[in-house]
């Protein structure tokens, strides 16, 4: 009996050593941060419940929810924050509701010129394109610039030649014609009160934190209605419209681009977090609700930090926005005070 017990004990010890112990070691080596999540925006501006039909509101809410769902599934499967950011933005670029890709606004000359940028918070690599006219998904071209060229930003014809060489999906200019944006340009022309453009909102952006603790940010836009041809806004400028750094946060902006460039908004949020060691929420509030407003600018940002904290301050009546954190449910909001 005694002998049998001894054998059994030995067997248990052997099983532990062969099967369980290595698992414990692996578990200790695994990254601590397995929380993940993302936040998105679909532009900020004069977005009032009183001026929006129930159907339109529903259309925006479900578009934002599908985008969150898409990003969440990528991150849940262990996909990278960069993949989540690119693919979420692709979805929004293909939706004519938003001022990016298909739904891009018109310049004063009746053309469409698109801007986009993406940044990897792990390596601080970044890519951007500006003023492109034939690119279906500018965010994907921005990622190619980051990964397949020695540059950070390519503009206009140079960007499009690079796109052709890499087999990127190109479209005719009339792909970007939508009745809604065309009419908005006509109204804008009639008002003749243009100074630097009052914007037609719907720029899209996404920030994400993946299971490995890597942050990424991306932004894509048609710019502002009635902008001068050749005008480039904040969206393709790293540090103004887009910024990501694993040590601090990932940020994407929307609003009157000239002010975001002058305030270097997204980098300012990251830098303030690093230097002052204060929370993302506090920092983003200071930069948007105080510094941007003081300069006369308007708009907002979405931001996420390495701990999965999300903040989305904006100065306007509304901002299409949402977030989805691991273990929780997706949240979509449009108006102020929601
Ligand atoms: N920031 C964009 C630009 O100035 C526009 C927007 O976000 O609505 O081009």
């Amino acid at each position: 009996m005694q002998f049998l017990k001894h054998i059994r004990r030995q067997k248990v010890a052997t099983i532990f050593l062969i099967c369980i112990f290595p698992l414990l070691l692996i578990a200790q080596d695994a990254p601590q941060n397995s929380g993940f999540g993302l936040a998105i925006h679909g532009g900020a501006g004069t977005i009032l419940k009183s001026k929006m039909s129930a159907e339109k509101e529903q259309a925006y809410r479900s578009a934002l929810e599908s985008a969150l769902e898409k990003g969440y599934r990528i991150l849940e499967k262990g996909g990278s924050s960069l993949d989540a950011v690119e693919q979420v933005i692709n979805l929004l670029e293909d939706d004519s509701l938003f001022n990016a890709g298909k739904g891009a606004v018109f310049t004063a000359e009746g053309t469409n010129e698109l801007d986009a940028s993406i940044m990897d918070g792990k390596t601080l690599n970044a890519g951007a394109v500006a003023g492109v006219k034939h690119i279906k998904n500018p965010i994907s071209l921005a990622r190619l610039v980051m990964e397949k060229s020695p540059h950070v930003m390519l503009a206009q014809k140079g960007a499009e030649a690079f796109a052709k060489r890499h087999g990127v999906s190109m479209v005719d200019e009339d792909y970007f014609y939508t009745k809604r944006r065309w009419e908005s340009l006509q109204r804008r022309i009639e008002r003749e009160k243009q100074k630097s453009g009052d914007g037609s909102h719907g720029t899209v952006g996404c920030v994400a934190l993946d299971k490995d603790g890597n942050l990424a940010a991306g932004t894509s836009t048609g710019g502002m209605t009635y902008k001068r041809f050749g005008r480039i806004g904040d969206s393709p400028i790293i540090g103004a419209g887009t910024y990501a750094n694993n040590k601090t946060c990932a940020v994407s902006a929307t609003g009157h681009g000239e002010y975001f460039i002058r305030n270097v908004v997204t980098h300012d949020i990251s830098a303030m977090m690093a230097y002052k060691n204060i929370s993302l929420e506090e920092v983003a509030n200071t930069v948007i609700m105080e510094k941007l407003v003081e300069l006369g600018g308007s708009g907002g940002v979405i931001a996420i930090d390495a701990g999965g904290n999300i903040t989305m301050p904006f100065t306007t009546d509304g901002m299409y926005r949402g977030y989805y954190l691991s273990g929780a449910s997706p949240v979509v909001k449009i108006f102020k005070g929601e």
Side-chain angles (χ1 to χ4, degrees):
M1 274 311 258
Q2 206 53 14
F3 176 70
L4 275 180
K5 259 191 195 161
H6 177 70
I7 296 275
R8 229 178 276 142
R9 234 180 271 137
Q10 260 196 341
K11 255 192 188 165
V12 171
T14 314
I15 289 171
F16 178 80
L17 275 178
I18 293 177
C19 304
I20 318 257
F21 190 57
L23 284 181
L24 287 178
L25 282 182
I26 288 169
Q28 272 187 343
D29 264 349
Q32 295 296 298
N33 189 345
S34 58
F36 60 91
L38 74 157
I40 57 174
H41 71 72
T46 316
I47 305 166
L48 294 163
K49 197 169 174 70
S50 55
K51 294 216 170 127
M52 193 183 284
S53 69
E55 299 78 63
K56 201 163 180 194
E57 182 181 335
Q58 196 40 51
Y60 273 109
R61 287 192 191 273
S62 54
L64 292 169
E65 234 170 78
S66 311
L68 285 173
E69 201 64 46
K70 169 129 201 157
Y72 190 90
R73 297 295 156 227
I74 294 168
L75 297 169
E76 191 180 37
K77 282 189 215 136
S80 71
S81 50
L82 271 178
D83 285 345
V85 164
E86 180 187 356
Q87 290 181 41
V88 164
I89 291 181
N90 283 163
L91 199 76
L92 298 168
E93 285 174 334
D94 291 344
D95 188 334
S96 63
L97 279 178
F98 301 100
N99 171 21
K102 173 74 185 147
V105 297
F106 287 91
T107 64
E109 287 71 25
T111 54
N112 305 95
E113 297 186 356
L114 288 70
D115 301 334
S117 66
I118 193 162
M119 185 161 185
D120 178 358
K122 183 182 175 187
T123 56
L124 301 191
N125 284 337
V129 292
V132 292
K133 291 175 154 185
H134 301 90
I135 306 298
K136 185 168 174 280
N137 294 108
I139 195 73
S140 296
L141 183 56
R143 185 163 179 185
L144 269 180
V145 171
M146 173 171 82
E147 290 175 348
K148 302 263 188 276
S149 89
H151 308 300
V152 168
M153 188 191 285
L154 290 177
Q156 300 161 347
K157 286 189 179 153
E160 300 204 336
F162 174 80
K164 251 184 220 157
R165 192 157 2 107
H166 287 276
V168 166
S169 173
M170 313 273 293
V171 288
D172 287 337
E173 283 183 61
D174 56 15
Y175 167 80
F176 298 110
Y177 174 85
T178 55
K179 194 166 172 280
R180 174 182 168 212
R181 299 296 188 195
W182 182 253
E183 286 172 356
S184 128
L185 172 65
Q186 303 316 308
R187 280 196 303 275
R188 189 73 182 81
I189 290 170
E190 266 165 39
R191 286 206 306 271
E192 282 183 340
K193 63 168 192 183
Q194 183 265 348
K195 280 211 174 86
S196 58
D198 69 351
S200 209
H201 307 282
T203 290
V204 303
C206 179
V207 294
L209 167 69
D210 63 29
K211 286 186 172 177
D212 294 326
N214 291 320
L215 292 168
T219 313
S220 184
T221 189
M224 297 177 85
T225 301
Y226 205 75
K227 68 182 180 183
R228 257 193 93 85
F229 75 91
R231 176 264 188 188
I232 291 167
D234 61 313
S235 307
I237 297 179
I238 297 302
T242 303
Y243 197 76
N245 185 336
N246 275 8
K247 291 191 180 133
T248 53
C249 56
V251 192
S252 168
T254 178
H256 198 146
E258 280 68 10
Y259 294 90
F260 282 74
I261 296 172
R262 290 162 63 204
N263 263 2
V264 204
V265 164
T266 54
H267 182 263
D268 197 23
I269 291 173
S270 168
M272 226 195 252
M273 244 185 118
Y275 300 147
K276 287 200 169 180
N277 201 19
I278 46 179
S279 77
L280 175 65
E281 191 181 359
E282 206 178 319
V283 163
N285 258 313
T286 307
V287 172
I288 297 301
M289 309 310 278
E290 294 174 24
K291 294 173 85 174
L292 184 72
V293 171
E294 268 163 34
L295 199 67
S298 64
V301 293
I302 49 165
I304 186 169
D305 69 14
N309 300 297
I310 283 174
T311 189
M312 309 192 287
F314 57 95
T315 66
T316 47
D317 294 317
M319 180 167 86
Y320 300 109
R321 62 202 187 277
Y323 59 89
Y324 198 172
L325 287 169
S326 49
S329 305
V331 175
V332 163
K333 297 180 181 188
I334 298 180
F335 310 108
K336 192 153 70 180
E338 257 189 271

